[in-house]
Amino acid sequence: MTINFQLMDNFSPTNRTQLHRIPQRATYEVSKIYGILDEALVCHVGFIVDNAPIVLPTTYARIANQVYLHGAQASRMLKSLKEGIQISMTVTLLDGLVFARSAFHHSMNYRSVVILGQAVEVTDLSEKQAALEAIVNHMQAGRMEHTRAPNPKELRATMVLRLELNEVSAKVRTGPPVDDEEDLSLPYWAGVVPVRLQAEQLQPAPGLSQHAQSLGIIPFSSNER
Amino acid sequence: MTINFQLMDNFSPTNRTQLHRIPQRATYEVSKIYGILDEALVCHVGFIVDNAPIVLPTTYARIANQVYLHGAQASRMLKSLKEGIQISMTVTLLDGLVFARSAFHHSMNYRSVVILGQAVEVTDLSEKQAALEAIVNHMQAGRMEHTRAPNPKELRATMVLRLELNEVSAKVRTGPPVDDEEDLSLPYWAGVVPVRLQAEQLQPAPGLSQHAQSLGIIPFSSNER
């Protein structure tokens, strides 16, 4: 079955991606899912080794309806994944801490995406290069033009895997705490403490030339990415 | 086998937690692992459903050598976990984006912990209450004293699971980019952009009384937690 996702507004829920608890928090909207994937910097990949799940953090990037993972050829994780085993790739953006009058209604505001599927090793050289460029540019837009591109030896040493977005869901909580009516007048602070990942002062590498220092890079604010 | 971890400085690596790639980034130090677990707010839990891994984000808290997860009794995730299946609970703190002169040496500074094991449902009421208090206080130290405690109905509606820290490893990258000698003079910026989760302006809940508003809460900075 081949579907051109560019033409779709929503992914189709499956048995595995259909949310049952608090279904109003679920979304299958392609644009929202792409937005979460593009904003986050780290994903958590789950896979099975010897009948037990392992979850590891790693970087990634999205191109069109695919996400790409990369790592050393020697990486045990990538070696396992390229066998075509089922994986779950999850991305979570924490947006706020939700304080309610009651302990029970404390919560978090967040946006998360869960992708289920099988990763495939990328062997085509131009796709591999495009994926690595996307991963570097995911750290800072346009960064690839201001680095030395990978040489053939580095390309050989790097494994790239592609995961098609097909079985995908997102879950989003926003807004204030939802307290029970009878708790509203309790003398406790309630509300949201918004949080976001922010850049702090740049730390130039030791030995960076004056010229290179002056180039700088623009610190990002995650909400503006 | 019962071990009093309070007396240990390090967890023992197992076949599954022994790091092979870049082993100098691995640590099994109890105090470092506790520190990462206490600082992060969200974990990613991986478990197997119908032979496929699923990774979901959730909150948690640590008490001594256990971590506790919680959720609605109706939660599919917790229902699966309480069957005593193997899980992987992973926590990641992103500390910086590492820009190198070469695309190849771009990296991230981070601290992550992977816990492998089986979660057990907590049925003892006082342990359950202590776990829920720890989860609320994990959002803000001392918060539990400024909320309405769970009533019996809420306690019944909530499931709490305990995961013993036994098979655990951490991985930490710090410091500047490591470029190849021949790239050091290239005219590209290199260094670290430190990042951290920061609180923004509080958003009091609609209808919050003047009195309750004046109580405020102290916005946290993740590095100071």
Side-chain angles (χ1 to χ4, degrees):
Chain A
M1 185 177 65
T2 303
I3 300 175
N4 186 344
F5 283 99
Q6 311 304 324
L7 300 173
M8 293 175 62
D9 290 332
N10 289 283
F11 292 104
S12 303
T14 66
N15 271 345
R16 303 196 296 173
T17 59
Q18 181 86 57
L19 264 72
H20 295 266
R21 287 260 318 141
I22 322 183
Q24 65 273 24
R25 288 190 190 163
T27 176
Y28 303 91
E29 230 178 279
V30 173
S31 62
K32 274 201 188 150
I33 286 170
Y34 286 179
I36 295 167
L37 293 173
D38 293 349
E39 183 175 332
L41 291 162
V42 170
C43 67
H44 283 82
V45 176
F47 55 105
I48 301 175
V49 177
D50 294 339
N51 301 314
I54 308 262
V55 177
L56 297 178
T58 188
T59 57
Y60 67 94
R62 181 184 68 84
I63 300 178
N65 201 55
Q66 288 95 38
V67 287
Y68 290 92
L69 305 169
H70 79 310
Q73 290 284 1
S75 153
R76 281 197 299 172
M77 175 171 94
L78 294 185
K79 273 188 199 163
S80 300
L81 301 196
K82 80 166 185 178
E83 301 300 325
I85 57 175
Q86 287 283 323
I87 70 171
S88 173
M89 176 182 147
T90 301
V91 163
T92 305
L93 290 164
L94 184 62
D95 291 329
L97 313 188
V98 181
F99 292 88
R101 283 92 169 171
S102 62
F104 185 73
H105 284 294
H106 278 61
S107 188
M108 299 274 182
N109 283 338
Y110 63 93
R111 291 165 288 152
S112 66
V113 168
V114 177
I115 308 172
L116 304 175
Q118 283 166 274
V120 175
E121 187 178 4
V122 173
T123 51
D124 178 79
L125 194 63
S126 63
E127 184 182 359
K128 194 170 176 176
Q129 281 172 317
L132 293 173
E133 283 183 19
I135 289 169
V136 169
N137 286 336
H138 192 184
M139 285 174 61
Q140 190 197 25
R143 172 67 188 176
M144 194 63 206
E145 290 159 42
H146 304 285
T147 66
R148 176 180 63 69
N151 60 37
K153 188 183 156 204
E154 289 170 341
L155 281 173
R156 277 194 304 273
T158 306
M159 193 190 301
V160 173
L161 301 177
R162 181 201 324 116
L163 176 63
E164 187 82 23
L165 273 68
N166 184 354
E167 200 166 355
V168 189
S169 63
K171 205 171 164 188
V172 175
R173 189 201 188 281
T174 58
V178 181
D179 266 307
D180 297 336
E181 189 70 29
E182 60 267 33
D183 290 333
L184 291 178
S185 59
L186 290 177
Y188 303 132
W189 193 88
V192 175
V193 180
V195 295
R196 69 170 167 174
L197 201 64
Q198 285 185 310
E200 306 206 290
Q201 202 178 351
L202 304 191
Q203 299 170 345
L208 194 64
S209 69
Q210 278 299 333
H211 169 65
Q213 284 212 30
S214 70
L215 297 173
I217 74 160
I218 304 159
F220 78 95
S221 152
S222 75
N223 281 9
E224 290 154 21
R225 286 162 53 85
Chain B
M1 185 176 64
T2 304
I3 299 175
N4 186 345
F5 283 99
Q6 311 304 325
L7 301 174
M8 292 175 64
D9 290 333
N10 289 283
F11 291 105
S12 303
T14 66
N15 271 346
R16 303 195 296 175
T17 58
Q18 180 85 58
L19 265 72
H20 295 266
R21 288 257 321 140
I22 323 184
Q24 65 273 24
R25 288 191 189 162
T27 177
Y28 302 92
E29 230 178 278
V30 173
S31 62
K32 273 201 189 149
I33 286 170
Y34 286 178
I36 296 167
L37 293 172
D38 293 348
E39 183 174 332
L41 291 162
V42 170
C43 67
H44 283 80
V45 176
F47 55 105
I48 302 175
V49 176
D50 295 338
N51 301 315
I54 308 262
V55 177
L56 297 179
T58 188
T59 57
Y60 67 94
R62 181 185 68 84
I63 300 178
N65 201 55
Q66 288 95 38
V67 286
Y68 290 92
L69 305 168
H70 80 310
Q73 290 283 0
S75 153
R76 282 198 299 171
M77 175 171 95
L78 295 185
K79 273 189 200 163
S80 299
L81 301 196
K82 80 166 185 176
E83 301 301 324
I85 57 174
Q86 287 283 325
I87 70 171
S88 173
M89 176 183 147
T90 301
V91 163
T92 305
L93 290 165
L94 184 62
D95 291 328
L97 313 188
V98 181
F99 292 89
R101 284 89 168 174
S102 62
F104 185 73
H105 284 296
H106 278 61
S107 188
M108 298 275 182
N109 283 338
Y110 63 94
R111 290 165 289 154
S112 66
V113 168
V114 177
I115 308 171
L116 304 175
Q118 284 166 274
V120 176
E121 186 178 5
V122 173
T123 50
D124 178 79
L125 194 63
S126 62
E127 184 182 359
K128 193 170 177 177
Q129 282 172 317
L132 294 173
E133 284 184 20
I135 289 169
V136 169
N137 286 336
H138 192 184
M139 284 173 62
Q140 189 197 25
R143 172 66 187 174
M144 195 61 206
E145 290 161 41
H146 305 283
T147 65
R148 177 180 63 70
N151 60 37
K153 189 183 156 203
E154 290 169 340
L155 281 174
R156 276 194 304 274
T158 307
M159 193 190 301
V160 173
L161 300 177
R162 181 200 324 117
L163 176 63
E164 187 81 23
L165 273 69
N166 184 354
E167 200 166 355
V168 189
S169 62
K171 205 170 165 188
V172 175
R173 189 203 188 280
T174 59
V178 181
D179 266 308
D180 298 336
E181 188 70 30
E182 60 266 33
D183 290 333
L184 292 178
S185 59
L186 290 176
Y188 303 130
W189 192 87
V192 175
V193 180
V195 294
R196 68 170 168 173
L197 200 63
Q198 285 185 309
E200 306 205 290
Q201 204 178 350
L202 304 190
Q203 298 170 346
L208 195 62
S209 69
Q210 278 300 332
H211 169 64
Q213 285 212 30
S214 69
L215 297 172
I217 74 160
I218 305 160
F220 76 95
S221 152
S222 76
N223 282 8
E224 290 154 18
R225 285 164 55 84

